[in-house]
Amino acid sequence: METTAVNFRHFLVIPAFLLLCNWAGAQPLGEVAEPSPEELDAAFTEEDAAREAAAWSDVVIDRSRPDPLERMTSSADLVFRGAVASQEVVYYENDLPYTHTTLSITEVLKGSHPGSQITLVHEGGPAKDNPENIVMVSDARHFDEGENELLFVDVNPGESAPRKVSVEHRFRIYNGKVYDEHGHGVLLEPGEEGKGYRLGLSRDRNPAPRFSQIHIGPHTLTKNFGKEDSAPDSGGGEPQARRVVPGYQSSVDITTFSAAIRD
């Protein structure tokens, strides 16, 4: 779009300049006259015609809402379901800890992967010289053995660290249903006119400890989410009416969610 915009401006400016050069000198000073059709044709060059043609397109712009599930799927190299089989802390240069999380792949929804396991690497873990201290990175994702995951990943993302797989989107599977990283239930609805899907999150979180606790070495850390949102006050002491968002019990089941990804 940026190139088209620049060309279009030139298309507007250059013919006007050429017209000015062609006929301004022929008019008496102070007298205004419109150019004749012949003069307009003479000023319109092949280059101008090419610019005009570039400004037109037969591409139909889709004004409907984007499908987030389709966008996530198309941008990922690999989409799979898996269970966390094991974890190991490996110390690299300067004794910096990296946690290696190995998942057993139970279903591949997009792409392919050799073998039945895949290992994720993220920076952080117990300090080598003192396991009572831990190293944490704010954007690291933490996993626990036995948990089930649905991951959208990029393979070989070009990281300089030992990371070979980059997790772009993570969904957690618990009791057959799908949740976000912090325990909100994932809501799946058909898109407009039955095309694609719309994603939403439940108004509350599943209270299961797995969504609020992080285990790093001998330590268990607890997330503090704060109070769940409620309807805003209307100013008269009464909460405003708002669309009722379902609770986490309405989260989509993993079978339906997997089928939507494969569509």
Side-chain angles (χ1 to χ4, degrees), residues 125-185:
K128 185 176 183 180
D129 58 348
N130 185 359
E132 290 301 313
N133 297 328
I134 59 175
V135 176
M136 291 189 68
V137 179
S138 59
D139 61 350
R141 290 183 166 95
H142 300 273
F143 301 86
D144 280 331
E145 290 187 27
E147 293 188 348
N148 295 295
E149 305 282 341
L150 193 158
L151 303 177
F152 294 68
V153 304
D154 287 340
V155 180
N156 296 320
E159 301 276 352
S160 58
R163 189 180 306 170
K164 299 299 182 184
V165 176
S166 174
V167 178
E168 299 301 315
H169 302 282
R170 177 191 186 187
F171 295 94
R172 308 178 73 176
I173 306 168
Y174 181 57
N175 288 340
K177 293 194 173 185
V178 183
Y179 297 86
D180 77 348
E181 201 153 359
H182 306 299
H184 279 109

Side-chain angles (χ1 to χ4, degrees), residues 66-82:
D67 180 349
L69 192 59
E70 191 279 332
R71 185 172 63 247
M72 288 189 294
T73 303
S74 62
S75 64
D77 296 324
L78 179 68
V79 183
F80 71 95
R81 290 170 54 190

Side-chain angles (χ1 to χ4, degrees), residues 67 187-192 195-200 243 246 252:
D67 180 349
L187 309 175
L188 183 70
E189 300 177 359
E192 296 176 354
K195 298 178 181 178
Y197 298 91
R198 290 184 295 178
L199 292 179
R243 185 175 69 90
V252 63

Side-chain angles (χ1 to χ4, degrees), residues 144 147 172 174 206-215 220-223 225:
D144 280 331
E147 293 188 348
R172 308 178 73 176
Y174 181 57
N206 190 312
R210 68 175 55 208
F211 297 115
S212 60
Q213 294 181 348
I214 298 174
H215 299 98
T220 298
L221 309 179
T222 301
K223 301 176 185 178
F225 293 118

Side-chain angles (χ1 to χ4, degrees), residues 12 26 29-30 32-33 59 62 67 70-71 73 75 78 109-110 134 136 139 151 162 175 204-205 226 230 234 247 257:
L12 291 176
L29 185 63
V32 179
V59 176
D62 185 4
D67 180 349
E70 191 279 332
R71 185 172 63 247
T73 303
S75 64
L78 179 68
L109 302 174
K110 180 198 173 182
I134 59 175
M136 291 189 68
D139 61 350
L151 303 177
N175 288 340
D204 53 3
R205 297 180 176 87
S230 58
S234 62
F257 196 63

Side-chain angles (χ1 to χ4, degrees), residues 51-65:
R51 291 193 180 95
E52 182 182 57
W56 294 88
S57 174
D58 58 359
V59 176
V60 177
I61 299 176
D62 185 4
R63 300 294 184 183
S64 61
R65 293 182 179 180

